[in-house]
Amino acid sequence: MLKVQGIDVFYGGIHALRDLSFEIPAGKIVTLIGSNGAGKSTTLKAISNLVKCKGQILFEDENLLTIPSEKIVGKGVIHVPEGRRIFTALTVEENLDMGSYLRKDKDGVAKDKEFVFKLFPRLKERAKQLGGTLSGGEQQMLAIGRALMSKPRLLMLDEPSMGLAPIVVQEIFSAIADLNKTTGLTVLLVEQNANIALQLADYAYVLETGSIIFEGEAKALLTDDRVRKAYLGEE
Ligand code: ATP
């Protein structure tokens, strides 16, 4: 579905992505793990055309680098950025409506809202509550829910576990697993929390200083010595 081919990104003198290539097959959950500053967020920004980038990023054979970022959303490539960025002064329901503002299919929108409320019942309970008053975990649920309202075909999540208690992370990751299983939605998950990301994903790429250093089936990487020592904090 998505093919990233030989991309380079520079921030001034910093070479943040170096000839980076990887693929995401339709219907799979692919994770990109790596330590601080490895270039994970920059990769998502490159796919959304939010940073200047050389190379080619094919989404079903169309080069996303030639498409302005607002049009990329219309193609179904939806980016949930790090730090969630929900609208704090709008209610939960209004935030969800912002996700569907480009859509004309009212019935489909209403159905998708019900789907989001079923996936995250806490959002339904808090539909009239202001976004800014939600807990961190609920805000993450809302950010994902809002993305789902824009009919994603590829959902890109930047560190959804960041700053959240392990039990809330479990809840969110199990919702992502359900979503993938029941709808076949393709997911690109960027995570510093390698353990939980590898448990969820089908396939994983390990990024270091802007390049892929290992890749493989996610479950196999969970038991790979190099990955365990460097990314899972094991001896
Ligand atoms: P983290 O998990 O800490 O966000 P990351 O893997 O997502 O890390 P990036 O945010 O993609 O890493 O950053 C990759 C490199 O590019 C880092 O060295 C970072 O300092 C640098 N960088 C990122 N954004 C900018 C920017 N706007 N200007 C200059 N350098 C930047």
Side-chain angles (χ1 to χ4, degrees):
M1 173 176 256
L2 187 89
K3 287 187 184 139
V4 171
Q5 297 177 328
I7 60 168
D8 283 275
V9 171
F10 290 88
Y11 295 112
I14 297 173
H15 197 174
L17 297 182
R18 301 162 184 256
D19 194 24
L20 178 69
S21 300
F22 66 93
E23 287 188 21
I24 306 176
K28 299 289 182 197
I29 302 181
V30 170
T31 187
L32 206 56
I33 57 174
S35 37
N36 256 321
K40 303 180 300 295
S41 301
T42 301
T43 305
L44 296 193
K45 287 180 191 155
I47 297 169
S48 294
N49 210 348
L50 295 170
V51 287
K52 210 166 156 243
C53 176
K54 278 194 275 178
Q56 196 161 244
I57 300 182
L58 296 177
F59 180 64
E60 294 175 335
D61 299 327
E62 200 169 6
N63 188 0
L64 295 183
L65 298 184
T66 62
I67 302 175
S69 52
E70 62 281 7
K71 295 245 164 69
I72 290 178
V73 172
K75 304 226 166 264
V77 177
I78 310 295
H79 185 166
V80 179
E82 195 172 321
R84 339 258 208 221
R85 309 220 195 113
I86 57 154
F87 300 102
T88 52
L90 297 184
T91 66
V92 165
E93 194 159 13
E94 287 164 345
N95 266 277
L96 294 178
D97 292 339
M98 294 301 279
S100 57
Y101 80 104
L102 284 174
R103 293 174 60 182
K104 307 269 181 291
D105 58 323
K106 275 197 175 153
D107 290 351
V109 169
K111 257 192 207 145
D112 285 349
K113 202 185 277 180
E114 272 320 300
F115 176 80
V116 169
F117 282 151
K118 227 169 130 189
L119 189 69
F120 296 118
R122 293 208 214 184
L123 294 183
K124 187 166 187 176
E125 290 158 20
R126 292 164 174 75
K128 305 290 175 215
Q129 193 172 322
L130 291 183
T133 65
L134 298 177
S135 71
E138 290 158 359
Q139 290 194 10
Q140 185 62 61
M141 293 171 196
L142 182 54
I144 296 172
R146 186 178 61 188
L148 293 177
M149 293 303 294
S150 45
K151 269 202 165 197
R153 301 189 51 227
L154 169 64
L155 179 66
M156 304 197 292
L157 303 172
D158 196 347
E159 303 235 13
S161 78
M162 194 162 69
L164 304 181
I167 187 154
V168 182
V169 174
Q170 281 298 348
E171 196 179 335
I172 289 171
F173 274 55
S174 103
I176 299 168
D178 275 357
L179 184 63
N180 170 261
K181 215 178 271 161
T182 55
T183 67
L185 179 64
T186 313
V187 178
L188 172 55
L189 169 70
V190 155
E191 262 299 338
Q192 235 184 94
N193 184 339
N195 192 19
I196 185 132
L198 292 175
Q199 288 181 44
L200 174 73
D202 297 297
Y203 200 82
Y205 292 93
V206 182
L207 195 64
E208 269 315 314
T209 54
S211 310
I212 306 285
I213 53 162
F214 317 118
E215 63 173 274
E217 299 291 329
K219 307 295 174 291
L221 290 193
L222 265 178
T223 54
D224 182 298
D225 275 351
R226 296 163 303 180
V227 173
R228 285 174 55 196
K229 279 194 189 125
Y231 303 98
L232 302 175
E234 294 176 20
E235 289 303 311

